[in-house]
Amino acid sequence: MKRSLLLSPAGHGKTARAIDAIRALPSLSPVRVLVPDQIEATAFRRRLARAGGALGVTVQTFYGLYADILALTAATRRREDAATRRREDAATRRREDAVTRGREDAV
């Protein structure tokens, strides 16, 4: 997966270059475009649409990226917590079974 970061002053062709690169990709290629704010995101989407559009393109702000990362981290944490609870529950059941078997053996 190629990653590119385009840096230059305003009006020096960053958007045009990004749109050309996106349009050159195979259809449905996953692309994430990061822009500083929602106004720039809207402008980028409009320019991409005027150029013919592209499927699979996500245009978001850095804030949106941070929110996605936090959501993924939280989901991972919830899965890890659930797995830990299942292991602990299984260990508790094994201990309870062992205690029950020990009592049955004594009877």
Side-chain angles (χ1 to χ4, degrees):
M1 174 191 310
K2 182 180 175 189
R3 292 178 182 92
S4 297
L5 179 63
L6 302 177
L7 299 172
S8 67
H12 280 75
K14 293 181 299 293
T15 300
R17 186 169 171 193
I19 288 172
D20 290 344
I22 291 167
R23 301 274 299 141
L25 293 171
S27 227
L28 297 174
S29 294
V31 175
R32 183 181 307 251
V33 178
L34 295 174
V35 294
D37 57 41
Q38 200 58 46
I39 293 170
E40 293 294 328
T42 301
F44 189 92
R45 286 187 196 99
R46 283 187 183 140
R47 286 191 59 183
L48 182 60
R50 280 198 307 265
L55 297 174
V57 177
T58 301
V59 181
Q60 69 183 151
T61 64
F62 288 100
Y63 179 81
L65 176 63
Y66 301 150
D68 286 352
I69 291 169
L70 289 173
L72 288 170
T73 302
T76 300
R77 180 63 187 257
R78 284 191 301 271
R79 283 193 302 273
E80 290 171 351
D81 289 348
T84 300
R85 280 192 302 276
R86 284 192 299 274
R87 283 192 300 274
E88 289 170 351
D89 290 347
T92 301
R93 282 191 299 277
R94 284 192 300 274
R95 283 191 300 274
E96 289 170 350
D97 290 346
V99 168
T100 302
R101 280 193 305 276
R103 287 186 185 152
E104 289 172 354
D105 292 342
V107 172

